[in-house]
Structures are given as C-alpha cells and as structure tokens.
Amino acid sequence: YGDVPGLSTPQCKGECIAGEYCPVGSVTPTMCPKGYYCPNGRLRVPCPAGSYGGRKGLQDASCSGLCRPGYYCELASISSVQAICPGGRFGGVPGLQSSACSGLCSEGYYCPAGSTNSTAHVCGSSAVYCPEGSALPIVVSQGYYSIAGDEHVRTQQSICEPGYFCYR
C-alpha cells in the first residue's frame, strides 16, 4: 500500500500482511471482512461452504470454525447459525454446506426447521400421518384414515372403503 504521494517503487510504503487485504491502488490496508480470510495480504478468499467467518482479520481457510448441527453455511457465511436446515430435513453434523442438510426426516416422524436428527418428533396419533420429509404432521383428510406404522407413527392415508365411516 502507499499512503504518501510520489512513491517510486512497487514496494510502496509497506506490504499488507495476513488478515489484511490491499487491492491494487490501496492507500491503506483494509482489514479482511467477515466471511472471508486473507492469507497473504493480497488475496481475499471467501470462507468455504460449511464454515463461517465471524470476525474481521481472519488469516486461513479454517475461518472461525464449522456451522452448528441443524444449520448450514454457504460460501462466505458470517455466523455458525447462518441458515437453518428447513423443515422436513435435519442437520445431524457440524459443517453442512447446503439446504439439503443431512437428508430428509424419516417417515412416521416430523422435523421442524433446525432439527438435528431424522426422528426428531414422533408423528403423534392415528388422526395424523407423516410421510418421509415431513416438517409437521399432516391431518388425515375427511373420508380417509391413516395407515402404516403403529398408532403413533403413521406414514400414509387411505380412502375409507365403501360401507364404512371414517371420521379421520
């Protein structure tokens, strides 16, 4: 960087150090921003997906660490809870990189946003069912009944057969 007029060498006044970033024509060093690391004073590199850069001045690809279970971090994230795993999915390990998280919630169970395992909550009763990837239990439709699994872990609904009454 060069903060005085009339410099005559490419070294300018001084070199930026790790944790700083000096683009061409810099007058003063710039602290590496959150979500990035600056390994050598010349490069500004986004923190890798699965990790986050929660403070300025980071110097290496480990950034500030991995995202927490139940959350994911895309490229250049600034928080360990940058983005919550969506309902119907779960995030069972740290360092997840996309909204796919660890996968879908298991059938017979439901997973609200931020769940950390595929069987976060038992579906509930015969009045509801939970197919794979459920964010919440689904109320059985009028004229149908729930099937598959035991009374608390229903996974589907079926239309009521002729000659029978199904109240749910």
Side-chain angles (χ1 to χ4, degrees), residues 83-144:
I84 194 164
C85 289
R89 296 192 163 271
F90 72 100
V93 296
L96 296 170
Q97 301 177 6
S98 76
S99 61
C101 295
S102 296
L104 293 171
C105 188
S106 297
E107 64 178 21
Y109 299 86
Y110 68 97
C111 300
S115 294
T116 58
N117 67 66
S118 66
T119 56
H121 299 281
V122 174
C123 196
S125 72
S126 60
V128 294
Y129 67 102
C130 296
E132 181 181 47
S134 293
L136 293 169
I138 301 168
V139 175
V140 175
S141 301
Q142 190 74 29
Y144 286 74

Side-chain angles (χ1 to χ4, degrees), residues 6-30:
L7 294 172
S8 59
T9 69
Q11 275 63 41
C12 297
K13 182 175 178 185
E15 289 192 32
C16 288
I17 58 173
E20 296 176 344
Y21 172 60
C22 292
V24 174
S26 295
V27 175
T28 59
T30 301

Side-chain angles (χ1 to χ4, degrees), residues 1 43 57 75 126 143 154 168:
Y1 65 94
L43 298 174
L75 198 65
S126 60
R154 301 296 178 126
R168 288 213 191 216

Side-chain angles (χ1 to χ4, degrees), residues 55-71:
R55 62 180 177 82
K56 295 178 178 181
L58 297 172
Q59 300 175 9
D60 61 62
S62 64
C63 292
S64 296
L66 298 176
C67 290
R68 288 184 20 199
Y71 296 84

Side-chain angles (χ1 to χ4, degrees), residues 71-92:
Y71 296 84
Y72 65 96
C73 292
E74 295 177 334
L75 198 65
S77 291
I78 62 170
S79 169
S80 66
V81 293
Q82 184 75 27
I84 194 164
C85 289
R89 296 192 163 271
F90 72 100

